[in-house]
Amino acid sequence: MYEKKNKIFSRLSTSVLSLMGLSLVTVAISVNLSQDVTHIVPLNLSDAVLPSLSTPKLATEKQINLPDYEYTVQLGDSLSQIFIKLGISYDDLLSVMETDLNHLRIDTLQPNNILQFWVDGSKKRLDKLELIFNVAQKVVYRRLHDDSYEFTDVNIIGEWIQNVTVGSIEGSFSVSALNAGLSYNDVHSITNLLKNKINFSRDLRVGDKFEVVHSEQFIAGQTSGQSEMQAIRIQRHGVLITAYLHTDGNYYDKYGDSLQRAFQRHPTIGKEHISSGFNAKRKHPVTGRISPHNGTDYAVQIGTPVISTGDGVIVMIRDHPYAGKYIVIDHGNQYRTRYLHNSKILVRKGQRVIRGQRIALSGRSGRVTGPHIHYELLIRGKAVNAMTAKIPMATSVPRTERSAFAKAVTMYDKMMFAKL
């Protein structure tokens, strides 16, 4: 067999961690020594025992290129602490974050996500980092010959399977929906989508029914956790309240009327000059590698008001070494927007905002060549061109699409009736 070599790491001082300033999540660390042996050490324990990178690997292990370290994300720690515990250079972390500037995927890590590290044991240099969000989604940062990193977004399509959930009101809607098998996210999405049609805490009675058509992603028979609601019906005292997902990614009632507040295209009060547009295939002027520009830049003076392009909730406020002071707004139904390089933030995390509300003042924080507003629109986590994307701007399904929408409504209704 082979010998395990262990190294003792003392607890990191809180002052050192606060200086690193990259608060994220607690992680549990596991080091792969072979396919059958995994040594797990909690990072938040003092005098934790961490196996050394000098541990010999088996020949079969080299062939399949197992990671040197693997982390399962939990609440309460920071990404910088992980790098310090592994003895990996802080410069490598900054380089990864610089590569991540056009994507900001590191900032989206959640509990139970997995981080895998491939490390040059002699130099303690990071060769590759994988962030695994679920069985269908991961991103990879790989060191290149010039010591920069390239970014790869890996998505597996898998198989999407439809299912129908039906239930009756027995107490509150949320409890009844959870008992029927819907998730907390489903309940939040339904109540947010239909809040202008029904008061969920007051209007429903015992015996009222609800039906939901889901499409859920599976990879080799395992759920990825990704799903979307395609149809919703609530029968309240014999009155039907409906929502159907159209091909444009927006929800409409059975008559084709929009259920979502409209967005606006620009995060500014006036139509400011666009200095740099969205370009998913932009090439770096020096390296020639693809370095996408995943947003739209507006040339404005410092202090220009930045406004929310739609109703939503502030879910993230960060001060990033490269993206600067930035804000993320969740608008529901898989829509999010990001606003980078601000000089001042005018909102707080958890705050609800409406379309047209001032959320920040423009600036040049982070790594920029001059003051501007950098605005991004994300649909299902993927950056799209905010100037051309199909977003809720119309009040109803376009006339030319009414026939296809009606056929989809009929199909969904048949699925739900069959389940009753």
Side-chain angles (χ1 to χ4, degrees):
M1 288 295 288
Y2 51 88
E3 175 188 4
K4 290 187 191 177
K5 296 183 179 179
N6 294 327
K7 185 179 294 185
I8 304 297
F9 283 79
S10 61
R11 181 187 294 272
L12 296 170
S13 71
T14 55
S15 60
V16 171
L17 293 180
S18 63
L19 286 174
M20 303 297 279
L22 297 173
S23 178
L24 178 66
V25 283
T26 301
V27 292
I29 174 172
S30 67
V31 182
N32 290 304
L33 300 179
S34 76
Q35 295 186 56
D36 301 316
V37 179
T38 301
H39 187 61
I40 299 175
V41 183
L43 280 179
N44 57 354
L45 294 181
S46 60
D47 298 326
V49 178
L50 185 65
S52 168
L53 285 174
S54 60
T55 302
K57 293 183 172 68
L58 298 178
T60 56
E61 187 178 328
K62 290 182 179 179
Q63 292 170 6
I64 61 175
N65 193 26
L66 290 174
D68 295 291
Y69 298 99
E70 180 177 287
Y71 296 85
T72 299
V73 176
Q74 302 173 31
L75 289 173
D77 223 326
S78 67
L79 189 59
S80 57
Q81 183 176 6
I82 302 170
F83 274 68
I84 292 174
K85 279 285 189 179
L86 298 181
I88 302 173
S89 167
Y90 181 57
D91 288 340
D92 284 352
L93 174 56
L94 288 178
S95 294
V96 169
M97 294 182 71
E98 183 177 7
T99 303
D100 193 50
L101 172 60
N102 292 317
H103 314 279
L104 296 175
R105 299 303 300 275
I106 289 176
D107 285 358
T108 66
L109 281 172
Q110 298 291 328
N112 297 319
N113 292 164
I114 294 173
L115 298 90
Q116 293 184 336
F117 290 80
W118 284 257
V119 180
D120 182 331
S122 59
K123 299 179 181 179
K124 291 294 182 69
R125 300 298 303 273
L126 178 66
D127 288 333
K128 185 173 73 168
L129 170 64
E130 290 192 0
L131 311 183
I132 303 173
F133 302 104
N134 53 61
V135 294
Q137 295 179 324
K138 71 176 181 180
V139 294
V140 181
Y141 306 86
R142 190 189 308 273
R143 181 186 293 279
L144 301 174
H145 295 303
D146 61 0
D147 283 341
S148 65
Y149 290 87
E150 74 173 353
F151 173 93
T152 306
D153 193 350
V154 180
N155 289 280
I156 302 173
I157 296 176
E159 182 181 13
W160 287 81
I161 299 176
Q162 286 182 319
N163 61 78
V164 180
T165 300
V166 301
S168 297
I169 299 299
E170 300 290 341
S172 70
F173 171 74
S174 58
V175 171
S176 302
L178 292 172
N179 288 340
L182 296 179
S183 68
Y184 286 100
N185 286 338
D186 293 335
V187 173
H188 173 74
S189 296
I190 292 171
T191 54
N192 187 58
L193 181 63
L194 297 176
K195 63 185 177 183
N196 293 326
K197 295 285 186 179
I198 183 174
N199 186 318
F200 283 88
S201 62
R202 192 175 59 202
D203 293 346
L204 293 174
R205 300 176 184 172
V206 173
D208 287 342
K209 298 185 181 301
F210 55 89
E211 305 135 79
V212 178
V213 177
H214 259 106
S215 183
E216 187 173 7
Q217 185 186 37
F218 287 84
I219 308 296
Q222 180 181 353
T223 179
S224 70
Q226 305 298 304
S227 66
E228 68 177 10
M229 288 183 295
Q230 298 178 316
I232 305 164
R233 288 162 42 103
I234 298 178
Q235 299 181 45
R236 180 177 72 89
H237 323 332
V239 177
L240 202 58
I241 300 167
T242 59
Y244 299 92
L245 183 64
H246 188 39
T247 53
D248 62 2
N250 302 310
Y251 287 94
Y252 301 85
D253 65 19
K254 64 179 179 180
Y255 304 107
D257 294 327
S258 178
L259 294 169
Q260 297 165 264
R261 291 285 302 275
F263 277 71
Q264 63 184 60
R265 289 288 182 194
H266 307 280
T268 55
I269 296 174
K271 192 172 182 180
E272 304 287 352
H273 171 66
I274 294 177
S275 57
S276 181
F278 179 91
N279 186 352
K281 296 183 178 180
R282 182 183 66 173
K283 288 188 177 181
H284 192 283
V286 177
T287 65
R289 294 192 296 269
I290 297 296
S291 179
H293 186 245
N294 285 333
T296 303
D297 290 348
Y298 297 81
V300 296
Q301 295 180 344
I302 293 177
T304 300
V306 180
I307 65 175
S308 173
T309 54
D311 297 355
V313 178
I314 307 296
V315 293
M316 188 180 296
I317 295 176
R318 290 282 191 273
D319 192 352
H320 191 281
Y322 300 103
K325 294 180 173 66
Y326 79 87
I327 300 170
V328 180
I329 301 178
D330 187 346
H331 302 278
N333 185 28
Q334 306 291 342
Y335 290 101
R336 287 194 172 197
T337 52
R338 288 197 291 227
Y339 313 77
L340 278 60
H341 305 303
N342 302 292
S343 61
K344 185 177 182 180
I345 305 297
L346 304 178
V347 290
R348 66 184 183 280
K349 184 178 179 181
Q351 179 178 340
R352 289 191 171 274
V353 295
I354 61 174
R355 184 186 64 189
Q357 180 175 338
R358 296 187 181 195
I359 57 174
L361 299 178
S362 66
R364 55 181 304 167
S365 59
R367 190 189 67 175
V368 293
T369 56
H372 68 278
I373 298 171
H374 176 96
Y375 170 61
E376 297 181 9
L377 171 66
L378 297 94
I379 302 179
R380 294 178 177 85
K382 181 178 178 59
V384 299
N385 189 343
M387 301 300 104
T388 59
K390 290 184 177 180
I391 55 178
M393 297 188 74
T395 57
S396 61
V397 174
R399 187 180 301 275
T400 56
E401 301 174 14
R402 286 294 179 112
S403 177
F405 177 74
K407 289 180 181 178
V409 168
T410 300
M411 178 193 70
Y412 289 132
D413 284 350
K414 285 182 178 179
M415 292 177 63
M416 291 184 283
F417 279 131
K419 187 74 173 181
L420 289 174

